[in-house]
Amino acid sequence: MTYAIEVSNLKKHFGTIEAVKGIHFQVKKGSLFAFLGSNGAGKSTTIEILCTLLEKTSGEVTINGHRLGTMKDNERIRKSIGIVFQQSLLDKELTVKENIIHRGRFYHLTKAQLIENYQFVWQYLKLGEIELKKYGQLSGGQRRRADIARAIIHKPSILFLDEPTTGLDPHTRKFVWETIERLRKEIGMTIFLTTHYMEEAANADQIVIIKKGEIIAQGTPNELKERFASDQMVLSFKKEADIQQIAEQLGYVMVQFGDVYKVNIPSTLHAIPIIERIQPFLTSFEVIKGSIDQVFIHINEEAGDMNAT
Amino acid sequence: MLLSLVSRNNKVFFRNKLLVFFSLLSVLILIGLYAIFLQNLQLNSIAEYVPVTPEIEVLVSEWMVAGLLSIIAMSATLGVFGIYIKDLEAKTTADFLVTAASRYKIQLSYVISSCIIGFSMTFVGFICCEIFIVSIGGELLSPIAMLKAVGILILAVVMSSMINLFIVLFINTETAFSTVSTISGTLLGFLCGIYVPMAVLPTAIQSAIHFFPVSHITVLLRDVFTAQSVEKVFAGYELYAKTYKVDYGVIYEIDGSILSSLMSLLFVLSTIIVLGTLSALVFRRKYK
């Protein structure tokens, strides 16, 4: 069994609205899987179905070898997954430790197991300074640490994170990222992530982009970049240069943006011969590698156009 | 697991000072109203029938205490269901549902918490009331009367929990909940004949109150609390004793005959059973 999650032809209807329209994807064990989409794309619906919070309309979902649907299997699935929700859901009136221990007890762990697991998350998420503070008094970053600790108190093999870094300061975002990376590398946890920050998805092993309930693109970050994001050259010329003549020499379309000119090229290497040829006219140049941001914007626009026509 | 859920609810409740305060608010208002004018009003009207003795003040206080205790049970249990609404709206319930806890156990945990908290607050209230009665020159309840009172209070808490459970199953937001809680806090005093004695109300409203289950708790408690004092105050004026009891809702007179305590008890018990069953049905429908 190499897949932690297998989804095939998953559909979810709310009345007449089709929120998820038959999607397929697989998540490899121990991988970092990024699930992208704008608001209302069907991201949250999908994640809620996978986490057993919402019943699917049809389709097959297998998580850690258990088929989602029956009570028994759902219960097995719940024990093997952890979830960091978008909002903070721990009790503000209780301390971090009380919160985590209480939620840990809901998993039928033995007392000894729970204490051992608590010590593990205590160390892993550096809870020492905050464990006796009330959750309601913590800063946003400290809350996220407590949230992650709660999500892994029963040592799940898959961790779902629903926009875990939205609204956090850069320092905490980095901490969250390092923690996720460590969980994956040191413990082999599978990470299923939804995010708005494209640069976060750039670290993923696989990206799936969903729009209006359908998958519109999937692949590794590099595959997606190759397919959808082109590299770009930004040129600025000397005053006396004959732009018309240069444009004819290039063999690529050149578009003016203010006082610079942009040229899309298949890969950064293509820039070298061009630069050599037009060097006498240049005052400066820049070669920019296509980013995952571009992929996202490009694909979304493209799909939008398709839907519009 | 169920125990962990219950202990979590209890901690959240007692550490949320606002929740505790609001669940006691109607009680505080009642005490305030009493201190300001309700007590004097009643003292004066009893004095029209019988000679003025210090016992009258004790009687009126005992009468008030009975009403107060029946209100604590309702407002405390409703306060605990405030946690359920908060969890529902903040989606904390989702964080429980992804554990091994089932929706049914989660719901049951609020009911159990409401009974535990409802009873502990009622019991503390009961002790305070007894101390208050003794401090103004009254007598402690006899051991048997005390057992009766505690028994009635337990029933009061369980019934209040069932009534409130049934109500909150139709509520999904905190805004709606606070509206309901304000209305219930205001209406309770009237529907149990505490703010205004029964006799003053129009017959139609009196009949409506006869059908309000919580008022039967008030009646049962009044009967237990005031028994000794009624005898003392109306010694030699036994004819007026019955008039007083009916006018002030110590006993119910329906169609010319006195409703026995047993009937009130049966009414309370059947309310518990009927609302418990209805809640179970609504719950299954809501989350099928």
Side-chain angles (χ1 to χ4, degrees):
Chain A
M1 191 179 61
T2 51
Y3 293 118
I5 305 172
E6 290 171 90
V7 173
S8 106
N9 205 18
L10 177 66
K11 286 182 188 169
K12 177 69 194 176
H13 300 182
F14 294 104
T16 55
I17 301 161
E18 283 181 278
V20 178
K21 303 171 183 166
I23 57 174
H24 299 261
F25 63 83
Q26 282 110 17
V27 180
K28 282 202 188 96
K29 272 196 164 172
S31 69
L32 172 56
F33 180 91
F35 201 50
L36 302 188
S38 324
N39 291 331
K43 253 185 328 181
S44 296
T45 308
T46 308
I47 217 169
E48 277 181 31
I49 292 172
L50 298 187
C51 296
T52 73
L53 285 173
L54 203 61
E55 238 170 88
K56 60 183 196 287
T57 304
S58 65
E60 286 284 321
V61 176
T62 311
I63 295 176
N64 283 331
H66 306 298
R67 269 178 56 183
L68 188 91
T70 66
M71 274 239 286
K72 234 181 190 164
D73 277 315
N74 285 5
E75 205 164 294
R76 288 194 189 118
I77 289 171
R78 285 186 199 119
K79 282 182 188 167
S80 70
I81 61 172
I83 302 138
V84 177
F85 290 92
Q86 215 169 322
Q87 313 96 319
S88 297
L89 296 185
L90 294 180
D91 294 316
K92 296 181 178 61
E93 297 86 356
L94 307 191
T95 66
V96 171
K97 186 176 181 179
E98 284 173 325
N99 262 307
I100 296 171
I101 294 285
H102 266 288
R103 304 285 160 99
R105 281 197 208 139
F106 301 164
Y107 286 99
H108 294 310
L109 299 175
T110 64
K111 214 170 186 177
Q113 241 177 336
L114 185 57
I115 291 170
E116 192 192 310
N117 287 7
Y118 182 74
Q119 275 161 352
F120 166 77
V121 300
W122 183 88
Q123 206 177 24
Y124 220 82
L125 288 147
K126 304 190 179 76
L127 297 184
E129 44 181 320
I130 57 169
E131 69 171 338
L132 297 179
K133 279 193 189 163
K134 289 205 176 133
Y135 184 72
Q137 294 165 346
L138 301 182
S139 71
Q142 290 171 327
R143 280 189 190 190
R144 266 293 94 136
R145 262 153 74 190
D147 294 341
I148 297 176
R150 178 260 170 270
I152 61 172
I153 185 64
H154 54 300
K155 294 204 170 166
S157 64
I158 305 174
L159 181 62
F160 290 87
L161 300 108
D162 195 5
E163 296 181 17
T165 57
T166 304
L168 293 182
D169 61 86
H171 180 74
T172 316
R173 272 174 70 182
K174 198 167 155 254
F175 178 84
V176 169
W177 270 98
E178 284 166 1
T179 311
I180 292 174
E181 275 303 297
R182 278 173 59 207
L183 285 170
R184 192 161 68 100
K185 286 186 180 140
E186 294 169 15
I187 304 172
M189 217 176 257
T190 308
I191 308 287
F192 186 108
L193 168 91
T194 75
T195 178
H196 276 322
Y197 296 112
M198 299 312 137
E199 79 250 33
E200 287 181 352
N203 300 328
D205 296 305
Q206 201 197 350
I207 299 177
V208 162
I209 303 179
I210 182 171
K211 176 161 182 167
K212 292 186 177 156
E214 284 170 300
I215 291 178
I216 51 175
Q218 60 178 316
T220 64
N222 266 331
E223 283 169 3
L224 289 176
K225 271 193 262 182
E226 254 162 48
R227 266 176 61 201
F228 299 103
S230 53
D231 296 339
Q232 205 174 45
M233 235 174 13
V234 182
L235 309 168
S236 66
F237 298 108
K238 291 173 184 164
K239 270 187 190 144
E240 64 274 21
D242 182 348
I243 307 294
Q244 196 68 40
Q245 197 196 337
I246 296 167
E248 277 164 21
Q249 280 186 18
L250 277 179
Y252 293 101
V253 182
M254 187 164 77
V255 186
Q256 186 176 3
F257 282 88
D259 56 353
V260 298
Y261 294 84
K262 289 185 181 172
V263 180
N264 284 342
I265 48 177
S267 83
T268 48
L269 287 178
H270 284 76
I272 301 170
I274 300 172
I275 299 295
E276 275 173 353
R277 238 181 302 150
I278 60 174
Q279 193 189 354
F281 311 107
L282 286 173
T283 52
S284 78
F285 73 94
E286 200 178 348
V287 180
I288 301 166
K289 185 114 186 75
S291 69
I292 207 80
D293 251 324
Q294 254 181 313
V295 172
F296 189 66
I297 294 165
H298 180 91
I299 292 175
N300 258 311
E301 277 172 358
E302 201 170 67
D305 292 345
M306 267 161 35
N307 286 333
T309 50
Chain B
M1 148 112 63
L2 190 56
L3 279 178
S4 307
L5 279 163
V6 170
S7 99
R8 174 262 173 189
N9 296 342
N10 294 358
K11 274 187 190 154
V12 169
F13 180 82
F14 282 116
R15 291 207 196 151
N16 192 325
K17 292 182 186 72
L18 218 62
L19 266 180
V20 176
F21 174 74
F22 276 108
S23 67
L24 287 176
L25 187 61
S26 51
V27 174
L28 296 178
I29 292 174
L30 176 60
I31 293 175
L33 288 177
Y34 247 80
I36 297 167
F37 69 98
L38 285 182
Q39 189 186 26
N40 276 330
L41 225 64
Q42 203 173 332
L43 280 176
N44 295 340
S45 61
I46 296 178
E48 283 173 20
Y49 302 102
V50 292
V52 178
T53 53
E55 257 82 49
I56 297 184
E57 200 194 326
V58 174
L59 171 64
V60 172
S61 299
E62 284 169 344
W63 184 88
M64 184 269 286
V65 153
L68 191 129
L69 288 174
S70 49
I71 285 191
I72 298 185
M74 274 301 274
S75 60
T77 49
L78 184 63
V80 178
F81 283 111
I83 305 175
Y84 157 72
I85 299 293
K86 218 167 63 134
D87 288 347
L88 206 64
E89 198 171 22
K91 295 199 175 141
T92 308
T93 317
D95 197 33
F96 295 155
L97 287 171
V98 295
T99 68
S102 66
R103 213 178 257 285
Y104 150 77
K105 271 189 187 159
I106 297 168
Q107 193 69 34
L108 191 60
S109 80
Y110 297 115
V111 177
I112 296 175
S113 283
S114 82
C115 287
I116 292 175
I117 292 171
F119 189 70
S120 41
M121 291 179 77
T122 312
F123 194 69
V124 170
F126 175 60
I127 291 170
C128 293
C129 289
E130 280 291 84
I131 292 173
F132 166 68
I133 298 284
V134 171
S135 77
I136 59 162
E139 276 176 55
L140 268 186
L141 288 177
S142 70
I144 290 177
M146 234 181 237
L147 278 180
K148 272 189 193 167
V150 171
I152 296 168
L153 290 176
I154 291 176
L155 276 180
V157 169
V158 175
M159 184 180 71
S160 303
S161 178
M162 285 302 132
I163 293 175
N164 288 324
L165 167 69
F166 184 71
I167 295 172
V168 295
L169 279 174
F170 294 96
I171 302 176
N172 293 312
T173 63
E174 284 196 68
T175 329
F177 178 78
S178 55
T179 311
V180 167
S181 140
T182 310
I183 294 174
S184 132
T186 319
L187 273 185
L188 259 180
F190 288 106
L191 287 177
C192 292
I194 297 171
Y195 295 154
V196 184
M198 287 296 276
V200 181
L201 296 166
T203 353
I205 295 186
Q206 282 189 30
S207 315
I209 290 178
H210 290 155
F211 279 103
F212 183 57
V214 184
S215 79
H216 286 262
I217 293 286
T218 320
V219 166
L220 288 168
L221 284 174
R222 277 178 191 150
D223 201 25
V224 171
F225 272 98
T226 60
Q228 286 173 318
S229 301
V230 166
E231 267 180 39
K232 283 185 200 160
V233 170
F234 294 94
Y237 300 88
E238 277 76 16
L239 255 176
Y240 292 132
K242 196 198 150 200
T243 316
Y244 164 78
K245 281 182 170 182
V246 173
D247 283 1
Y248 282 86
V250 178
I251 47 175
Y252 275 164
E253 191 181 49
I254 298 173
D255 293 332
S257 56
I258 301 292
L259 191 75
S260 68
S261 296
L262 184 67
M263 286 306 285
S264 287
L265 270 177
L266 284 177
F267 187 48
V268 168
L269 281 172
S270 36
T271 306
I272 293 175
I273 293 167
V274 169
L275 284 182
T277 317
L278 281 179
S279 298
L281 291 176
V282 173
F283 174 77
R284 272 181 59 184
R285 234 190 124 87
K286 189 171 177 182
Y287 297 113
K288 69 167 181 205

